[in-house]
Amino acid sequence: MTQIDMNSDLGESFGRYSLGKDKEIIQLVTSVNIACGFHASDPDVMAKTVALAEEAGVGIGAHPGYHDLQGFGRRNMNLTPEEVKNLVIYQVGALQGFTSSKKLHHVKPHGALYNMAAKDYDLSVAICKAIKFVDPNLPIYALAGSETVRAAQAVGIPCAQEVFGDRNYLPDGNLVPRSEANAVITDPIEVAAHVIEMVETQSVTAIDGSIIPLKADSVCVHGDNAAALAIVANLRKTLQNNKIVLQAF
């Protein structure tokens, strides 16, 4: 039986600014990654999003990022491993405090922190040590085949290898940078075909046509994508039509 976790990055509104269709998307996925106030969100949004996720019965994950509201956490920052460790502990603890059980389902780094860690073993180790400090049984969601996967194994925390339905891949297995025109896939049908390929073949076709092997434990569709709701609804239907079971990691 083939199964997959479907996750989405949510809770990214802030103050008067509303982003995404969180309430609708939460009903369609199996786990969510909730912003913790550094790249987006605020305490009220965090509380509201956690409540929606608990009501829907989906896995609640912390989505810590760099302290960069203006850049939405997508700008690289040069921090020491100790600074990164403390940054992650702070955000994970903040979101955990809003849960009724005081327990989280997982942690998924956000944006530049996620992408930098995917290529940087030492940075990944700092993130994994932070997670282990909070809860040694707490899984990290990491880019499939990345340095973060290797670091999680070395530090000794669970790891879900993640693929991206609405992002294109480079030949080295990393995501095409958002600064490039072909980074994001917005057509719901194309996204679904992309995911089916990754789940059923455990590989992905890169932008140069090469085939990259990978392990797909969880698939992410971004909540801030303009077509997010249509993409998630069509993806869920397509996965079910292909006899792929949706289940939290």
Side-chain angles (χ1 to χ4, degrees):
M1 179 181 67
T2 303
Q3 64 183 49
I4 192 77
D5 169 54
M6 189 160 67
N7 77 77
S8 189
D9 304 340
L10 302 178
E12 294 177 325
S13 299
F14 178 77
R16 295 177 62 190
Y17 302 96
S18 180
L19 181 66
K21 297 185 179 296
D22 292 6
K23 188 173 183 180
E24 294 85 355
I25 289 176
I26 282 174
Q27 304 302 318
L28 299 172
V29 297
T30 52
S31 65
V32 294
N33 320 300
I34 300 175
C36 304
F38 273 30
H39 77 275
S41 197
D42 59 36
D44 293 328
V45 172
M46 291 165 69
K48 179 181 178 181
T49 312
V50 166
L52 287 171
E54 288 186 337
E55 184 180 359
V58 301
I60 297 173
H63 201 33
Y66 284 130
H67 205 172
D68 179 26
L69 280 174
Q70 286 179 305
F72 199 65
R74 289 179 177 160
R75 297 184 292 193
N76 292 357
M77 297 183 74
N78 184 21
L79 303 182
T80 67
E82 187 68 14
E83 287 173 324
V84 169
K85 180 182 176 183
N86 291 335
L87 172 127
V88 172
I89 290 171
Y90 184 94
Q91 294 178 75
V92 172
L95 189 76
Q96 184 171 274
F98 284 107
T99 64
S100 58
S101 66
K102 300 300 179 280
K103 287 283 187 180
L104 293 172
H105 177 263
H106 67 276
V107 175
K108 174 185 167 181
H110 165 81
L113 182 62
Y114 182 101
N115 292 326
M116 291 174 69
K119 303 174 186 178
D120 187 329
Y121 178 76
D122 291 336
L123 177 58
S124 291
V125 167
I127 295 169
C128 292
K129 284 183 175 179
I131 296 170
K132 188 172 185 178
F133 179 84
V134 177
D135 181 351
N137 298 312
L138 197 54
I140 186 171
Y141 279 27
L143 182 67
S146 68
E147 290 298 302
T148 311
V149 174
R150 192 162 72 92
Q153 293 168 345
V155 172
I157 62 171
C159 179
Q161 298 202 46
E162 182 181 38
V163 298
F164 287 78
D166 54 5
R167 294 293 299 276
N168 278 314
Y169 282 74
L170 295 170
D172 65 359
N174 286 297
L175 302 176
V176 175
R178 284 181 177 269
S179 57
E180 298 185 18
N182 61 343
V184 180
I185 305 170
T186 58
D187 180 355
I189 295 175
E190 189 177 347
V191 170
H194 192 50
V195 172
I196 291 297
E197 175 195 8
M198 290 188 283
V199 175
E200 292 190 341
T201 70
Q202 296 290 290
S203 66
V204 65
T205 303
I207 55 173
D208 67 347
S210 60
I211 304 297
I212 308 164
L214 51 72
K215 187 173 187 292
D217 295 316
S218 183
V219 56
C220 174
V221 180
H222 289 96
D224 63 326
N225 188 316
L229 186 56
I231 286 173
V232 175
N234 184 67
L235 177 56
R236 182 183 178 93
K237 181 180 178 181
T238 303
L239 289 168
Q240 291 173 331
N241 287 345
N242 281 267
K243 310 301 182 186
I244 297 169
V245 178
L246 294 172
Q247 183 173 321
F249 175 74

